[in-house]
Amino acid sequence: MPGGRLTQPERQQIALGLADGLAYAEIARRLERPTSTVTREVMRNGGPTAYRADLAHRATGHRAQRRRQPAPRGPRTPPQPYGRDAGAVRAYEETLTSVFMQSGTPRMMARVMACLCVSDAGTLTAAELVQRLQVSPASVSKAIAFLESQDLVRRERDERRRERYSIDDDVWYQSMIASARATAQVAETARQGVTVLVPGTPAARRLENIGRFLDFVSESLTRAADQAREVLHAKPGTAADDPGRPDPERGQDRRPGLPRTGSGYDRPGTSP
């Protein structure tokens, strides 16, 4: 079997194999590589549903470059708490960064998000981010400004008046609500075009359909975010037989008056 790093054509073959639903062992056999090599390659670059050959190849180049660079001076990274494997945590943080990038987040912003997500406190100062990511303060400042504009991080001050940047469950809720508002704005703009392009014309009908579709998506996203926040972020200590607790077996909310999740179109006058 060939040794050395995977080449870009080999990564493209892995991506094609995943798209065809092939098992890791079959992909490895076709590449004449160990199955463990293919498995590790896929899992550290987004997993089977998000793997992309070009991003994986680029990420591998970045990792190799960082390994060639001399270790930065300064305090060493403290041991991981709870008996965690430091290498596994670093690899997972890189995987999470790649997934954020695949969703459209720029690389530096994705690194900051991943760093905050894997910290137990969920909050870090600019200096701590600079030390953990080994980047300049200006890079952190730019990344935080972008993430704040997307409602993905929250800025606050601690008892020492230092600015801290936080990411928690409520941040994801606020981000979903911001996304719903942006979608609703596109829908409203599409409806405005119906009058301009004269109702009944092909272009006007297209814009009207866009507006109706995005209206429904925006309303559904807001409703789902509200329900998820209420159900999933309940305070600890809920009794096991609480009728307000979601039923994991049926995938629905057991409280009276709330629609079942996954029930499809439930707006009055529409059908699944």
Side-chain angles (χ1 to χ4, degrees):
M1 289 186 181
R5 293 197 186 99
L6 289 167
T7 64
Q8 189 160 17
E10 285 178 318
R11 289 191 168 94
Q12 290 170 347
Q13 287 296 110
I14 290 174
L16 290 172
L18 293 172
D20 289 340
L22 299 181
Y24 293 151
E26 176 61 20
I27 297 173
R29 187 187 66 78
R30 296 185 181 189
L31 293 176
E32 297 184 344
R33 291 275 192 172
T35 302
S36 60
T37 298
V38 174
T39 303
R40 185 167 55 249
E41 164 71 13
V42 174
M43 295 311 297
R44 78 184 308 179
N45 290 290
T49 60
Y51 182 84
R52 281 185 55 186
D54 52 346
L55 287 176
H57 195 70
R58 197 176 309 134
T60 301
H62 285 309
R63 286 193 291 267
Q65 185 177 12
R66 285 201 299 272
R67 283 194 291 268
R68 287 195 297 267
Q69 293 174 346
R73 295 181 180 180
R76 294 184 178 181
T77 303
Q80 285 289 321
Y82 305 108
R84 293 171 181 150
D85 183 302
V89 172
R90 283 195 299 271
Y92 173 74
E93 188 171 335
E94 290 176 358
T95 297
L96 189 58
T97 298
S98 297
V99 171
F100 286 149
M101 290 172 61
Q102 290 161 9
S103 70
T105 306
R107 175 170 174 76
M108 190 64 237
M109 294 65 173
R111 292 189 67 197
V112 170
M113 280 183 63
C115 191
L116 286 169
C117 282
V118 302
S119 68
D120 284 301
T123 175
L124 296 168
T125 64
E128 288 169 336
L129 284 167
V130 167
Q131 182 180 8
R132 290 186 181 218
L133 299 175
Q134 292 299 306
V135 295
S136 68
S139 296
V140 169
S141 178
K142 182 178 179 181
I144 290 295
F146 172 85
L147 294 172
E148 275 192 304
S149 72
Q150 303 297 310
D151 292 319
L152 288 171
V153 298
R154 185 174 61 252
R155 187 189 300 254
E156 54 193 20
R157 288 188 180 274
D158 60 19
E159 66 280 358
R160 296 171 57 185
R161 305 297 297 167
R162 297 177 305 177
E163 282 195 343
R164 304 190 71 87
Y165 311 111
S166 304
I167 188 166
D168 56 23
D169 295 335
D170 198 58
V171 163
W172 296 109
Y173 169 79
Q174 295 297 340
S175 176
M176 290 297 100
I177 294 300
S179 176
R181 291 195 189 108
T183 302
Q185 182 61 50
V186 176
E188 174 60 26
T189 304
R191 284 195 300 273
Q192 292 172 4
V194 174
T195 302
V196 175
L197 296 171
V198 181
T201 63
R205 285 196 298 270
R206 183 181 307 112
L207 287 172
E208 185 176 7
N209 288 334
I210 291 172
R212 293 174 61 190
F213 175 81
L214 294 181
D215 264 339
F216 185 84
V217 169
S218 175
E219 293 168 8
S220 299
L221 182 58
T222 300
R223 183 167 56 252
D226 286 338
Q227 292 181 4
R229 187 191 201 190
E230 183 178 356
V231 174
L232 302 179
H233 299 167
K235 293 181 179 179
T238 302
D241 58 350
D242 185 350
R245 194 167 58 91
D247 186 342
E249 296 297 328
R250 293 184 293 171
Q252 68 185 53
D253 195 302
R254 291 159 51 184
R255 289 174 298 171
L258 280 181
R260 295 174 58 177
T261 57
S263 57
Y265 294 93
D266 55 1
R267 179 190 290 180
T270 62
S271 57

